[in-house]
Amino acid sequence: DGGITQSPKYLFRKEGQNVTLSCEQNLNHDAMYWYRQDPGQGLRLIYYSQIVNDFQKGDIAEGYSVSREKKESFPLTVTSAQKNPTAFYLCASSDRDRGYNEQFFGPGTRLTVL
Amino acid sequence: QKEVEQNSGPLSVPEGAIASLNCTYSDRGSQSFFWYRQYSGKSPELIMFIYSNGDKEDGRFTAQLNKASQYVSLLIRDSQPSDSATYLCAVRDSSYKLIFGSGTRLLVRP
């Protein structure tokens, strides 16, 4: 099955800890994205990457970091500098051959800071 | 700042009726427009996209785009209780980024 996987599904973090959220895709898509969703809100872009070893900040990158060492993987680290990290985190990917138009989402990781 | 606006709802319609969801956007340079459906606690699922002015139909769904008015809508015909969800409008700017609205919650009453 082709798709996007995210792990873990639920994650609990103590204040002051860094945590890394996993995102893997086997769709052979070039671009990958990380979004954050707060209750009753739309999605806000954290980081995105269109090619391996390159990524750009989105609208709310402060307190987050990413890497793109492999085409299929785009992990997100939520650092202790992120002041309000409790949210639903969504990873997406899109295909360069389709103009990066259609983004497909993974199932998400729900992060709670205790 | 580029914005996408949606009425938060809930929009309540009886089963079998047409549900009309609306979205306006601020960036005239926007090129592509998307509708996602999101069930509670789940990730968004792409329903439709539209690039050109006019209507695009796919089954019970019709997307309508009016670039002059900076307006995009989604019509759902013969609404079913299973259509009850939050519908997110997204607009792609020239840098390939999607800008999302906050969504409209649709409730289809049996």
Side-chain angles (χ1 to χ4, degrees), chain A residues 82-93:
Chain A
Q82 170 48 237
K83 298 305 179 188
N84 186 19
T86 295
F88 189 37
Y89 289 88
L90 291 156
C91 178
S93 69

Side-chain angles (χ1 to χ4, degrees), chain A residues 6-8 11 13-14 16-23 33-36 46-48 55 57 60-69 73-86 89-91 109 111 113:
Chain A
Q6 291 185 242
S7 62
L11 184 58
R13 188 194 94 172
K14 293 181 180 179
Q17 285 182 335
N18 293 354
V19 291
T20 297
L21 282 58
S22 169
C23 178
Y33 311 80
W34 275 105
Y35 292 91
R36 167 182 173 141
I46 303 173
Y47 270 99
Y48 65 105
F55 47 83
K57 293 182 179 180
I60 55 165
E62 185 175 350
Y64 300 97
S65 66
V66 294
S67 62
R68 186 88 187 276
E69 297 176 1
S73 178
F74 192 39
L76 173 74
T77 296
V78 184
T79 74
S80 57
Q82 170 48 237
K83 298 305 179 188
N84 186 19
T86 295
Y89 289 88
L90 291 156
C91 178
T109 292
L111 173 63
V113 174

Side-chain angles (χ1 to χ4, degrees), chain B residues 55-72:
Chain B
D55 295 0
K56 179 182 179 183
E57 187 174 319
D58 184 0
R60 296 188 296 114
F61 299 97
T62 298
Q64 299 176 317
L65 175 61
N66 184 326
K67 288 187 178 180
S69 299
Q70 295 176 244
Y71 178 93
V72 59

Side-chain angles (χ1 to χ4, degrees), chain B residues 39-103:
Chain B
Y39 292 111
S40 181
K42 303 296 185 181
S43 61
E45 171 193 9
L46 181 64
I47 299 175
M48 288 193 69
F49 55 89
I50 186 168
Y51 306 142
S52 304
N53 274 329
D55 295 0
K56 179 182 179 183
E57 187 174 319
D58 184 0
R60 296 188 296 114
F61 299 97
T62 298
Q64 299 176 317
L65 175 61
N66 184 326
K67 288 187 178 180
S69 299
Q70 295 176 244
Y71 178 93
V72 59
S73 64
L74 179 69
L75 302 178
I76 306 175
R77 289 181 299 281
D78 188 26
S79 296
Q80 302 297 310
S82 59
D83 294 326
S84 297
T86 296
Y87 289 80
L88 300 170
C89 173
V91 174
R92 199 200 85 173
D93 67 13
S94 56
S95 67
Y96 302 108
K97 292 190 293 184
L98 284 188
I99 302 167
F100 284 83
S102 57

